């Protein structure tokens, strides 16, 4: 059975999207204008329901906005509390988008120049002048500083809470060991870089980073449930975390690296946050919110650029602004169209990527029709082989038990479950692989569908 709230605001088909093995709710919020019925498509709710039933997520809360209306749906395993729009989750690296927006505000107000070396204003947060390195604010915000992903002296006493004992003293000590930046100018995702950015913003403002989040993000955007330290009341709304296998785990605490991933929030606040950015996208007026989307650099990802904390990709022919996050027991995904007309937030208390759920909410028409399919060993054997997406990127397909094992060059193997006669899904990475046949009915190629992109790969001769 399912539990639902505010069903009077929905058509009966929305309630029907919840299946018996889970508990869920779904409802819409209205402004003066009529709420569109398709903001959160039934097929998307069915997809999430199935994934929760299959044990991929302990709970999921998803919210969709068109800038005026919000629709939410929450799902959890049967017998467990159903999350709602006020349930709090760790948002992980979505914190970086807030850090970058704080920087954009400083730039918009003329206090900082984007191309200015950070060391000019915050020398204590940068390598020693004797190293001769120059890292700009824009370098840090766009992951193009050349800094490594993590500081080498990060040695947690408790691997279940890896950042809790990494102090400012430890960060400052490591910063002074940096002597070169071999990847300078090239995109390389860096938690360290954002830890240093948080340090620099705190130094320039004279305020702790936690206070900056409160004063620059939470209060002005009307986000009372967003912050680093939770009140007793907010703590009651925090969902317990789970690792990728579903085992309960503790949350993560941050010290010096707070700017890279320390924020907790709920779906209500996060949609308000997206609404602000979407409103800026719909206008030509210069603002900090507009700046975070327009100051862009190239990345190593196909059809993707990086702005101030946000990635920009073309998905199904539409330009989207997005970021994800993950801690030891939580994961998140936020995205909105570059024209500011549609946005989505997905929060879960399981360390599994919910990107596929968010992208499905933005492009429900791309969801394949799912039905119970069982393929014989003989039928599965026809998919076996090697497929070249590029000369250096080969996908090897091996038959399994009503599934396929998929392994790309230099990557671990994943199990792909049958979702249609010639289609398979890899939930861990939000990917769908569809095979194509030639005129004689033989498998001739596959198409990898992931993050809104469709990449073909021809089958190689044995």
């Amino acid at each position: 059975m399912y539990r639902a709230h505010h069903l009077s605001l929905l058509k009966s088909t929305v309630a029907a999207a919840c299946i018996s093995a889970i508990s869920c709710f779904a409802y819409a919020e209205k402004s003066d204008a009529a709420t569109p019925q398709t903001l959160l498509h039934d097929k998307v709710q069915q997809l999430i329901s199935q994934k929760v039933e299959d044990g991929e997520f302990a709970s999921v809360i998803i919210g969709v906005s068109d800038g005026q209306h919000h629709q939410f749906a929450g799902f959890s395993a049967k017998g467990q509390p159903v999350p709602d729009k006020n349930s709090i989750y760790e948002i992980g690296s979505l914190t970086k988008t807030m850090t970058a927006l704080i920087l954009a505000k400083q730039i918009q107000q003329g206090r900082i120049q984007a191309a200015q070396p950070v060391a000019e204003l915050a020398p204590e947060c940068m390598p020693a002048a004797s190293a001769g390195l120059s890292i700009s604010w824009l370098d840090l915000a766009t992951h193009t500083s050349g800094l490594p992903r993590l500081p080498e002296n990060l040695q947690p006493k408790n691997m279940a809470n890896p950042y809790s004992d990494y102090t400012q003293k430890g960060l400052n000590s490591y910063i002074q060991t940096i002597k070169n930046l071999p990847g300078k100018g090239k995109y390389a995702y860096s938690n360290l870089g954002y830890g240093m950015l948080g340090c620099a913003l705190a130094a320039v403002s004279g305020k702790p980073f936690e206070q900056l989040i409160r004063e620059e993000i939470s209060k002005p955007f009307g986000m009372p449930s967003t912050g680093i330290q939770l009140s007793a009341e907010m703590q009651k709304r925090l969902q317990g975390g789970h690792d990728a296998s579903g085992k309960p785990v503790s949350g993560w605490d941050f010290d010096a690296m707070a700017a890279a991933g320390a924020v907790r929030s709920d779906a209500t606040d996060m949609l308000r946050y997206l609404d602000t950015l979407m409103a800026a996208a719909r206008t030509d007026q210069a603002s900090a919110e507009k700046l975070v989307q327009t100051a862009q650099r190239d990345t190593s990802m196909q059809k993707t650029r990086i702005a101030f904390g946000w990635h920009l990709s073309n998905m199904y022919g539409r330009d989207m602004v997005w970021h994800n996050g993950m801690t030891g027991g939580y994961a998140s995904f936020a995205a909105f169209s570059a024209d500011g007309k549609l946005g989505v937030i997905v929060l879960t208390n399981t360390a599994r990527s919910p990107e596929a759920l968010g992208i499905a909410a933005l492009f429900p028409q791309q969801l394949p029709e799912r039905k119970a399919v069982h393929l014989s060993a003989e039928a599965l054997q026809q998919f076996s082989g090697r497929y070249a997406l590029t000369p250096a990127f080969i996908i090897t397909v091996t038959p399994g038990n009503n599934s396929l094992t998929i392994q790309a060059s230099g990557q671990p193997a994943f199990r792909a479950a049958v979702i249609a006669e010639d289609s398979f899904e890899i939930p861990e990475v939000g990917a769908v692989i569809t095979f194509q046949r030639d005129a004689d009915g033989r498998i001739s190629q596959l198409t990898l569908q992931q993050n809104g992109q469709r990449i073909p790969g021809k089958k190689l001769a044995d």
Side-chain angles (χ1 to χ4, degrees), residues 228-244:
I228 295 175
Q229 297 298 325
L230 301 182
S231 66
E233 185 276 329
M234 292 166 68
Q235 190 70 42
K236 293 178 181 178
R237 291 188 276 132
L238 178 66
Q239 304 298 293
H242 300 77
D243 65 16

Side-chain angles (χ1 to χ4, degrees), residues 10 24 130 151 177 250 282 319 323 337 358 414:
L10 300 172
C24 71
S130 59
T177 69
S250 61
R282 294 193 297 268
D319 292 330
H323 207 292
S337 58
F414 293 97

Side-chain angles (χ1 to χ4, degrees), residues 124-143:
E124 63 269 44
C125 301
M126 290 291 112
S130 59
L133 304 178
S134 179
I135 299 174
S136 73
W137 297 92
L138 184 60
D139 292 336
L140 293 178
T142 57
H143 297 287

Side-chain angles (χ1 to χ4, degrees), residues 278-421:
M278 289 161 61
R282 294 193 297 268
T283 72
D284 294 327
Q285 185 175 356
S287 66
E289 292 78 15
K290 188 76 171 182
L291 177 61
V292 301
Q293 301 164 53
T294 55
Q296 301 176 21
R297 288 185 173 178
D298 289 329
T299 74
S300 56
M301 296 180 284
Q302 187 177 17
K303 297 182 180 179
T304 299
R305 291 172 64 79
I306 178 73
F308 271 43
W310 290 95
H311 294 84
L312 299 97
S313 299
N314 187 274
M315 301 180 184
Y316 302 117
R318 191 173 186 182
D319 292 330
M320 304 299 299
V321 184
W322 63 274
H323 207 292
N324 54 15
M326 186 179 294
T327 60
Y330 303 82
S332 60
F333 177 74
F336 60 95
S337 58
D339 59 11
K341 294 182 179 180
L342 188 64
V344 64
I345 178 68
V346 188
L347 304 174
T348 177
N349 59 337
T350 302
R352 283 177 174 268
S353 171
E355 289 182 33
L357 309 182
I359 293 173
L362 295 168
F363 302 96
Q365 69 277 12
Q366 298 296 332
L367 278 174
E369 293 296 333
R370 284 171 165 78
K371 55 184 178 180
V373 178
H374 182 83
L375 298 180
S376 67
E378 181 181 4
L380 288 166
Q381 187 62 42
Q382 64 187 318
F383 302 111
S384 179
R386 299 168 67 244
Y387 300 78
L389 279 70
T390 71
F393 191 76
I394 310 296
I395 288 181
T396 301
V397 178
T398 307
N401 181 17
N402 202 39
S403 65
L404 298 175
T405 297
I406 306 293
Q407 186 163 20
S409 302
Q411 296 189 19
F414 293 97
R415 177 182 178 273
V418 184
I419 57 174
E421 186 174 350

Side-chain angles (χ1 to χ4, degrees), residues 88-369:
I88 293 178
Y89 295 78
E90 293 182 358
I91 66 170
S93 286
L94 274 178
T95 300
K96 293 182 176 69
T97 68
M98 298 178 182
T99 303
L101 181 52
I102 293 171
L103 170 61
K105 286 187 172 185
Q106 295 287 317
I107 293 172
Q108 187 68 27
Q109 294 165 7
R111 298 175 182 175
I112 291 174
Q113 301 298 315
Q116 180 181 20
V118 180
E120 291 183 3
L121 298 179
E124 63 269 44
C125 301
M126 290 291 112
S130 59
L133 304 178
S134 179
I135 299 174
S136 73
W137 297 92
L138 184 60
D139 292 336
L140 293 178
T142 57
H143 297 287
T144 53
S145 64
L147 291 165
R149 189 179 186 91
L150 293 170
E152 295 177 4
N153 66 341
L154 177 65
Q155 299 177 339
K157 293 179 181 178
N158 179 9
M159 288 301 297
N161 198 359
Y163 293 97
S164 61
D165 59 353
Y166 193 70
T167 65
Q168 193 63 48
K169 181 179 179 181
L171 177 59
N172 289 345
S173 176
Y174 175 73
I175 288 171
Q176 298 312 312
T177 69
I178 300 173
K179 302 302 181 185
N180 56 73
L181 300 169
K184 180 72 185 298
K186 297 181 179 179
Y187 174 85
Y189 193 87
S190 177
N191 287 319
L192 169 62
Y194 264 77
M196 293 168 63
L197 179 55
C199 171
L201 289 170
V204 169
S205 66
K207 299 175 181 179
F209 182 75
E210 179 183 2
Q211 185 177 345
L212 290 177
I213 287 289
R214 194 165 56 247
E215 294 182 356
E216 299 292 339
I217 303 295
S218 303
K219 288 184 178 180
F221 295 166
M223 300 165 61
S225 295
T226 299
I228 295 175
Q229 297 298 325
L230 301 182
S231 66
E233 185 276 329
M234 292 166 68
Q235 190 70 42
K236 293 178 181 178
R237 291 188 276 132
L238 178 66
Q239 304 298 293
H242 300 77
D243 65 16
S245 69
K247 178 184 176 181
V249 294
S250 61
W252 279 7
D253 301 301
F254 290 76
D255 191 325
M257 297 286 285
V263 170
R264 287 116 168 173
S265 189
D266 63 17
T268 299
D269 280 10
M270 291 304 296
L271 273 194
R272 287 175 182 162
Y273 179 55
L274 293 188
D275 280 346
T276 302
L277 296 170
M278 289 161 61
R282 294 193 297 268
T283 72
D284 294 327
Q285 185 175 356
S287 66
E289 292 78 15
K290 188 76 171 182
L291 177 61
V292 301
Q293 301 164 53
T294 55
Q296 301 176 21
R297 288 185 173 178
D298 289 329
T299 74
S300 56
M301 296 180 284
Q302 187 177 17
K303 297 182 180 179
T304 299
R305 291 172 64 79
I306 178 73
F308 271 43
W310 290 95
H311 294 84
L312 299 97
S313 299
N314 187 274
M315 301 180 184
Y316 302 117
R318 191 173 186 182
D319 292 330
M320 304 299 299
V321 184
W322 63 274
H323 207 292
N324 54 15
M326 186 179 294
T327 60
Y330 303 82
S332 60
F333 177 74
F336 60 95
S337 58
D339 59 11
K341 294 182 179 180
L342 188 64
V344 64
I345 178 68
V346 188
L347 304 174
T348 177
N349 59 337
T350 302
R352 283 177 174 268
S353 171
E355 289 182 33
L357 309 182
I359 293 173
L362 295 168
F363 302 96
Q365 69 277 12
Q366 298 296 332
L367 278 174
E369 293 296 333

